[in-house]
Amino acid sequence: MPWRRVMVVVAAVLAVVVVAPPAEAAPATAPVTAPTTAPSAVFVEFDDSAAEADWRAALPRGEDAARRMVEGTRARIDAHADAVLDQLRGAEGERELYRTHNAVPGVAVRADPAAAARIAALPGVRSVRRISDARPSNASAAQLAGTMRTWQDTGRLGAGVRIGIVDTGIDYTHADFGGPGTVEAFRGPRTFPTAKVVGGVDLAGDDYDSASTDPSRTVPRPDDDPLDCEGHGTHVAGSAAGYGVNADGSTFTGDYSALGPESLDAMRIGPGAAPQARLYAIRVFGCAGATALLPQALDRALDPDGDGDLTDRLDVVNLSLGTDFAPADDPVNDFVARLVDAGVTVVAAAGNGGDVTDAVGAPATAPGAIAVASVRDAGVLLDAAQIVGGPQLTGQYGVDFTGTLDVTAPVVAVGGEGCAPFGGVRGAIALLEWPAERACGSAVRADNAQAAGAVGVLLATDGDQGGARIAGNATIPMFQLDGPSTAVLRGAGPVRVHLDGTLAGTVATRVPGIADTVSESSARGTRGPGVKPDVAAPGETIVSAAAGTGSGRISETGTSMAGPFVAGVAALVREAHPDWTPTQVKTAIVTTAADVRAATAPSGLQAPMRVGGGRVDARAALDPPVLAGDGAAVGVGFGVVEVPAGQTVTRTRTIQVSGPVSAARYEPITTVPGVSITVAPGGPGALTVTLTAQADALRHTLDPTMSPVQHGRPRQYVADASGRIVLTAGGREVRVPVTSAPRPVSTLTAQRGGDGIVLGGAGLDQGSGSEAYRSRAGVFSLLASSPELPACAPGRALGCVTGETGRGGDVRWVGAARAGDTIGIAVSMWGTLPDVGATTVPTVGFDVDGDGVVDRAVGLVKVPETDVLVARVVDAEGRELDALPVNGLPGDVDSRVFDTDTWVLPVRLSVLGAVPGRPLSMQVRVEGDYGPVDVTTPGGEPTAPVDVVDLAPWVPAGDAPLLTPADAGTRLPDPGRALLVVFPQNGEGTRAAALPDPNG
């Protein structure tokens, strides 16, 4: 859905148009599409109090008074909701989805843009925001993360604590939850609730999918039975609080404190982290697809039985789901904040976006939530394939294959990665290379193998197999070999291999060397607020309950598996300390975590941007010597620290400490020249953490655990100075994670002088190679200006923005310049965006032939699974035609693509199909879920038509860059019209400047 559009017309008056072949590029993660007027899910927040806040206010007068207050609050909210529904009567595909009363007052509806605009204008409406689709993102783990020791030393098992599993439901008939443990029991008839799964609700219905193109499937059909028909929630629930399943398939009923490594390994399914905690299932997914029901589920967690008595709120809520790259001001995080304020500990999976900047998404980005990364433990459950007449091969099958996995064929080595089309494998299983630095993903290889007539694919891995599950595609089976099996196959000569689905998850092994290392798929964090992720837990090849199997098991990988383990640990902590707040529970878990190792880092450790405080240690979390942290965030996040050229900047944060400490120090993990972080006493019960950054000494350094190249292209990245504050109390240590992103900024200005544009202020020119900071500037014809939209407030829910991400989607200026066959479209926003190209996509649509229809579109997107940002050109059918680096510079040249408000999208005129002498009509908009509320009124937004301008005469011909090195005194050409001057390396609010037309 578009946010805001600015209409521009540009004439391409060209003497010659040279048609060049399009550059080859990987597909983008975000679509570049035409505006839509179709209904979508939006949350309408009312300007009213929520039931939980009113209940707390009335509670001193007694529970009956509090319950009556809740009844009145809910009646008011329902009246608001009825008024909203009056705007939807009779509209095709539009209807109410659900209401929320307890955490945030509001109603979720499916509405088209016009209806959403009418709703936003209603009295009592605070805001209207689109709901992002969320998707579902252990015996060995119990040993690694200390729960076995906790059971033995303390006897804490989570008794009396209720854990809410917001997911695909729970198969409460499974033996892991004390059910009958038969397939027949799953098929019914069933009895619910049970002694283990003590309550729950299905908010979705089997057929629900919020992302479906069938409108009927986007409407939930709730019922009272949260039985899991997908499997994800059952696995998650088992990791959090399953009883465990014996080798014979029976429920474990023995003494948990008597379990040891051998007896745990002998079990079919190990116990969850808190095996005596009770479970509450809130199902928000259908049997497949995405969900928009998370706000309703969180609202339900405050009053599970809906009786108006909020004393029965859940103790812990696990969210193994989310939206990658979603910002901290995502509306679902408002619900998380209300739950935390009400006393509920919220645990959220950090996401599986991999080592990509800002991949952690909502709800994990909520400051008060415990965002959980994934690490590996020594226990691994592998799949197997069989050399016919020879040894078994171990590894993992591709997860996207949907056919019957039973293929036997000869193996033919292709001799490369298979990222380009190949042949010679018809009727065979193609053997492709899977190196550490890969030029493409598994899906591309599977597609090429299928096109060549192969019947299967083997991926050869000479080193560590890594943690990410391979995808492949739906129609050809794929198997990634681990290192030892790769060596066996290479030495076996001509062989036939049987790819056999019955061998999936059959090989249990231990690999001690991989314990406490980060999973490849675990998401890299953000630059605030606080430190994200907060902590890590075992999440790779985790064995837990398989839905619908009676007593069967399944191995899954991801932060979805790590999150419930921490939810179980949170239950143990709450059992031990029932009077603690969610912030105290979180502090104990984060600051007692163990090291996560990184072989490529000089420190030997993985930095907080990837694992937060480290790998959870359940035993230490139950008894920390002191509680120390920066409020609900716990970790100290300095965020982006801009240091003007030639200056030194100091920032401070305060850590609150619950008791005396004998020593405090800062331990760096990743370093940036010119940055120092210190800790000192800051008053009673407090310590002051001080960051000092000297601009001239700063360098654009890369975290040594990050690869400088992704899919064959230099990556963009953010320099990170991070580590931890180590406090000693009672002879023991706690460690508070610290992150910061310092960078020097130029202070360039522009004014007309003589026959050119003269730059003033101060530039940057320091460092060398990819670590250099060099100020640049570009002059663009100013095509459009748009006024800043106000912040949404009570009585103003239309024509406004919600949050900083909304400001970052509010277009301020648009400009264009030409360098030879390339034009650059400069787009500048009113607010800064930490990340762009995934959930936020600046897009330019071009009408080449003058018929009023977009023929080509260029969007600022990320190459999949990378920090490589490109301006991707597609045709009207969505086919990729070209992709050039954003700002016209490769990733190893700092041009500030993160934490900025201004970008240049380069596009070749020959790719656009521009015709000499014919005007190009250009439409600039920003796609995403977080922009101005003008998203609700496409066609009704303000536009800025401008006169046709000729770009050709005043910009250098040839291959001159659109952004050139610049310092104070640099002179740039002045074509004598209204201009937009871009300074990418400048600081907040000064990265672009408009100069008026000198001719009036």
Side-chain angles (χ1 to χ4, degrees):
M1 181 180 285
W3 291 357
R4 195 173 191 191
R5 299 185 293 176
V6 179
M7 299 299 297
V8 186
V9 176
V10 182
V13 183
L14 309 173
V16 179
V17 175
V18 179
V19 179
E24 185 175 334
T29 57
V32 180
T33 59
T36 178
T37 58
S40 62
V42 297
F43 182 74
V44 183
E45 182 181 356
F46 301 135
D47 183 24
D48 203 340
S49 56
E52 194 277 334
D54 288 351
W55 179 81
R56 266 193 291 172
L59 198 56
R61 302 197 301 271
E63 290 190 5
D64 287 342
R67 191 176 291 108
R68 288 194 299 272
M69 177 67 78
V70 168
E71 290 173 358
T73 302
R74 289 178 172 175
R76 289 198 315 272
I77 294 169
D78 286 340
H80 286 311
D82 290 341
V84 166
L85 296 179
D86 285 341
Q87 301 295 321
L88 301 180
R89 305 283 189 226
E92 180 67 27
E94 298 178 339
R95 60 170 295 170
E96 176 182 2
L97 298 177
Y98 53 85
R99 302 179 185 193
T100 59
H101 303 89
N102 302 321
V104 178
V107 61
V109 298
R110 280 185 57 80
D112 68 17
R118 295 195 301 271
I119 291 169
L122 290 175
V125 172
R126 180 184 294 272
S127 66
V128 179
R129 291 184 281 178
R130 185 173 175 183
I131 303 171
S132 297
D133 291 331
R135 299 180 183 275
S137 313
N138 305 325
S140 177
Q143 297 173 46
L144 174 72
T147 53
M148 181 179 69
R149 186 159 51 92
T150 303
W151 304 335
Q152 294 168 345
D153 291 354
T154 71
R156 301 292 183 186
L157 299 165
V161 180
R162 292 194 308 162
I163 302 174
I165 304 296
V166 179
D167 214 292
T168 64
I170 299 176
D171 174 11
Y172 47 82
T173 72
H174 196 284
D176 200 25
F177 309 110
T182 65
V183 174
E184 291 73 23
F186 175 80
R187 292 171 180 167
R190 298 175 296 271
T191 300
F192 178 80
T194 69
K196 181 64 161 182
V197 186
V198 297
V201 64
D202 178 2
L203 300 176
D206 288 358
D207 202 40
Y208 172 73
D209 178 6
S210 63
S212 175
T213 57
D214 179 355
S216 68
R217 296 192 61 195
T218 63
V219 178
R221 291 171 174 78
D223 60 56
D224 294 330
D225 185 356
L227 188 72
D228 186 1
C229 60
E230 196 275 348
H232 188 269
T234 296
H235 190 287
V236 163
S239 296
Y243 288 128
V245 178
N246 295 313
D248 63 1
S250 62
T251 302
F252 178 77
T253 58
D255 182 358
Y256 292 97
S257 65
L259 289 172
E262 291 185 2
S263 53
L264 273 175
D265 286 342
M267 297 178 72
R268 181 180 296 184
I269 302 172
Q276 286 188 359
R278 291 174 291 172
L279 293 168
Y280 192 94
I282 305 179
R283 181 179 167 190
V284 295
F285 291 96
C287 296
T291 186
L293 305 179
L294 184 52
Q296 184 187 16
L298 294 174
D299 197 71
R300 183 73 176 236
L302 289 175
D303 186 13
D305 59 9
D307 66 352
D309 180 359
L310 276 64
T311 57
D312 62 347
R313 62 183 177 273
L314 300 176
D315 301 301
V316 179
V317 169
N318 183 80
L319 306 172
S320 287
L321 46 76
T323 306
D324 288 347
F325 300 98
D329 56 3
D330 185 292
V332 76
N333 287 353
D334 294 344
F335 285 81
V336 173
R338 301 300 184 275
L339 263 67
V340 172
D341 289 345
V344 180
T345 296
V346 179
V347 179
N352 301 316
D355 193 13
V356 178
T357 303
D358 297 321
V360 171
T365 48
I370 306 176
V372 186
S374 172
V375 295
R376 298 190 282 184
D377 63 76
V380 179
L381 190 64
L382 298 175
D383 303 334
Q386 184 72 50
I387 294 179
V388 177
Q392 200 171 68
L393 304 171
T394 53
Q396 61 170 330
Y397 285 107
V399 297
D400 284 358
F401 179 68
T402 58
T404 300
L405 191 48
D406 184 13
V407 172
T408 301
V411 176
V412 174
V414 173
E417 292 189 49
C419 294
F422 55 85
V425 294
R426 182 165 299 279
I429 296 175
L431 176 63
L432 306 175
E433 300 299 316
W434 186 259
E437 296 295 336
R438 298 180 286 276
C440 65
S442 61
V444 173
R445 301 163 200 250
D447 292 344
N448 287 336
Q450 182 179 341
V455 296
V457 179
L458 294 175
L459 299 179
T461 310
D462 287 317
D464 180 12
Q465 186 176 30
R469 299 289 293 183
I470 58 167
N473 68 17
T475 53
I476 185 171
M478 175 176 278
F479 186 78
Q480 181 192 4
L481 301 156
D482 60 16
S485 290
T486 295
V488 168
L489 186 65
R490 292 194 196 282
V495 296
R496 293 169 59 83
V497 166
H498 182 198
L499 303 180
D500 183 358
T502 66
L503 298 178
T506 58
V507 182
T509 185
R510 296 188 68 82
V511 187
I514 68 172
D516 277 332
T517 60
V518 71
S519 298
E520 182 180 329
S521 60
S522 192
R524 177 167 285 272
T526 64
R527 291 168 297 293
V531 175
K532 294 293 179 180
D534 293 286
V535 74
E540 192 162 312
T541 60
I542 300 299
V543 175
S544 187
T549 64
S551 60
R553 67 183 185 178
I554 189 171
S555 172
E556 298 284 0
T557 289
T559 58
S560 281
M561 286 64 249
F565 192 91
V566 172
V569 172
L572 301 179
V573 175
R574 292 204 66 146
E575 181 191 8
H577 304 279
D579 57 338
W580 275 8
T581 66
T583 296
Q584 290 172 307
V585 172
K586 176 179 177 178
T587 301
I589 290 172
V590 171
T591 62
T592 59
D595 292 342
V596 177
R597 299 180 294 107
T600 59
S603 66
L605 301 175
Q606 194 66 243
M609 289 290 284
R610 201 75 192 279
V611 295
R615 189 260 298 147
V616 65
D617 183 332
R619 180 65 186 89
L622 255 67
D623 185 27
V626 69
L627 296 175
D630 187 1
V634 180
V636 176
F638 285 100
V640 178
V641 180
E642 294 187 335
V643 188
Q647 298 185 27
T648 297
V649 164
T650 298
R651 297 283 186 269
T652 61
R653 300 289 300 181
T654 299
I655 294 177
Q656 302 298 325
V657 185
S658 67
V661 297
S662 58
R665 68 184 187 276
Y666 174 72
E667 286 187 355
I669 296 178
T670 59
T671 59
V672 174
V675 178
S676 67
I677 297 175
T678 59
V679 59
L687 295 170
T688 299
V689 183
T690 301
L691 178 146
T692 304
Q694 181 184 356
D696 296 346
L698 295 175
R699 297 293 183 268
H700 190 220
T701 53
L702 180 70
D703 180 334
T705 67
M706 298 172 72
S707 170
V709 176
Q710 294 175 313
H711 289 196
R713 302 185 185 195
R715 79 184 298 169
Q716 286 101 347
Y717 59 92
V718 177
D720 168 50
S722 63
R724 57 202 185 187
I725 303 296
V726 182
L727 309 178
T728 302
R732 297 164 57 200
E733 290 184 346
V734 295
R735 302 179 298 195
V736 181
V738 179
T739 63
S740 67
R743 65 167 296 131
V745 293
S746 55
T747 58
L748 295 174
T749 60
Q751 62 181 8
R752 284 189 160 92
D755 60 351
I757 305 299
V758 181
L759 303 188
L764 301 173
D765 189 4
Q766 57 200 70
S768 61
S770 62
E771 293 191 356
Y773 285 111
R774 182 70 174 101
S775 51
R776 297 176 180 270
V779 176
F780 299 79
S781 179
L782 181 62
L783 303 181
S785 300
S786 184
E788 183 176 12
L789 292 173
C792 294
R796 184 172 60 208
L798 183 64
C800 58
V801 295
T802 55
E804 285 303 305
T805 309
R807 290 189 71 238
D810 185 11
V811 176
R812 185 178 188 181
W813 290 309
V814 177
R818 179 182 167 211
D821 184 43
T822 301
I823 61 170
I825 310 302
V827 180
S828 186
M829 308 297 182
W830 280 102
T832 293
L833 288 170
D835 187 86
V836 72
T839 57
T840 304
V841 182
T843 304
V844 184
F846 292 93
D847 174 17
V848 177
D849 55 15
D851 64 356
V853 177
V854 171
D855 305 298
R856 302 283 189 271
V858 56
L860 198 171
V861 299
K862 289 187 174 185
V863 173
E865 303 173 352
T866 77
D867 279 327
V868 178
L869 278 83
V870 296
R872 177 186 182 232
V873 183
V874 297
D875 62 16
E877 285 72 42
R879 293 184 293 251
E880 182 174 307
L881 304 178
D882 201 359
L884 298 178
V886 67
N887 294 336
L889 296 165
D892 52 1
V893 176
D894 174 61
S895 65
R896 189 147 195 186
V897 298
F898 299 107
D899 305 305
T900 186
D901 54 25
T902 303
W903 306 267
V904 177
L905 281 65
V907 56
R908 286 189 258 248
L909 290 166
S910 53
V911 173
L912 291 179
V915 177
R918 177 183 294 168
L920 282 174
S921 178
M922 190 168 67
Q923 179 191 80
V924 179
R925 58 193 178 92
V926 183
E927 296 180 339
D929 293 344
Y930 304 100
V933 178
D934 281 346
V935 67
T936 62
T937 56
E941 309 93 330
T943 59
V946 298
D947 293 333
V948 173
V949 293
D950 177 5
L951 299 179
W954 60 274
V955 182
D959 296 323
L962 295 161
L963 297 171
T964 59
D967 298 290
T970 296
R971 298 181 69 87
L972 299 172
D974 183 359
R977 55 171 66 98
L979 298 177
L980 179 65
V981 186
V982 172
F983 311 106
Q985 281 75 23
N986 267 16
E988 181 83 20
T990 66
R991 300 180 193 109
L995 300 182
D997 189 336
N999 303 311

